[in-house]
Amino acid sequence: VLELSEGWELDMPLVYDWEYVSDTARTANVDRRTLTDCTKAFCRQVEFHGYKPMVYFNTSQARYLLHLEELTEFDFWIAQYQPGLDFAYRVDFWQYTGEGAVPGISVPVDINLWLEQLGVVKKITHNIQYAAKNQQGFWWHFLCCFDGKTVI
């Protein structure tokens, strides 16, 4: 991630997004302590290199797989699919649905809100995260921001 980001001036954070793949994946049995430590290590390296880190997780991961109380120095991005945000920690991004519709994209997309610490929506109206599988089988995540006129 740091090599790919080198030389770029980023407006948004570099996000640590650990995802469950399958019961047979090498990461299937990662325990809470290890995942929290890996998350901290990623975020600290990102900071060390002058970028802003963020931690992405869903409510199940927050409850069972991370010691969130040890990660509060970093920004949080939560996937919580319900009408209102109900979470015990400060959240900077809220992914509130995986069934969003965007003109020009033929499949359902995740829809997120970028929140300030007081819960005010930042300047963007929508941001859409979607994934594309590359030739080596890795998933790359892209965040496209729409302000009503341009794609950032």
Side-chain angles (χ1 to χ4, degrees), residues 60-84:
S60 178
Q61 290 168 324
R63 226 176 264 121
Y64 304 113
L65 293 176
L66 290 166
H67 293 287
L68 287 182
E69 69 279 2
E70 297 179 25
L71 300 169
T72 57
E73 67 191 273
F74 309 115
D75 288 354
F76 287 165
W77 182 353
I78 188 169
Q80 187 179 49
Y81 296 173
Q82 59 186 42

Side-chain angles (χ1 to χ4, degrees), residues 7-152:
W8 289 87
E9 187 175 319
L10 303 179
D11 294 329
M12 300 180 85
L14 291 175
V15 182
Y16 186 80
D17 178 4
W18 184 89
E19 300 271 346
Y20 173 80
V21 178
S22 73
D23 288 339
T24 59
R26 65 184 171 87
T27 56
N29 295 313
V30 172
D31 63 86
R32 192 175 198 179
R33 172 80 277 137
T34 302
L35 184 55
T36 300
D37 289 346
C38 288
T39 303
K40 278 194 243 182
F42 173 90
C43 289
R44 291 205 173 112
Q45 279 298 307
V46 165
E47 281 182 328
F48 178 78
H49 288 277
Y51 297 104
K52 183 174 183 157
M54 179 178 274
V55 182
Y56 173 89
F57 50 83
N58 61 42
T59 51
S60 178
Q61 290 168 324
R63 226 176 264 121
Y64 304 113
L65 293 176
L66 290 166
H67 293 287
L68 287 182
E69 69 279 2
E70 297 179 25
L71 300 169
T72 57
E73 67 191 273
F74 309 115
D75 288 354
F76 287 165
W77 182 353
I78 188 169
Q80 187 179 49
Y81 296 173
Q82 59 186 42
L85 181 59
D86 177 20
F87 194 65
Y89 291 89
R90 175 195 43 75
V91 173
D92 301 279
F93 276 80
W94 173 30
Q95 183 176 312
Y96 64 90
T97 184
E99 298 296 321
V102 174
I105 299 177
S106 62
V107 296
V109 297
D110 297 340
I111 302 290
N112 303 271
L113 293 176
W114 184 0
L115 310 170
E116 293 190 69
Q117 289 185 3
L118 297 176
V120 177
V121 177
K122 258 198 174 326
K123 67 177 183 173
I124 59 177
T125 55
H126 297 312
N127 56 58
I128 294 83
Q129 177 192 343
Y130 60 97
K133 198 171 189 178
N134 72 10
Q135 293 174 348
Q136 291 78 31
F138 296 102
W139 287 93
W140 294 94
H141 291 269
F142 302 91
L143 183 68
C144 300
C145 302
F146 296 86
D147 65 4
K149 299 178 204 144
T150 60
V151 177
I152 300 168

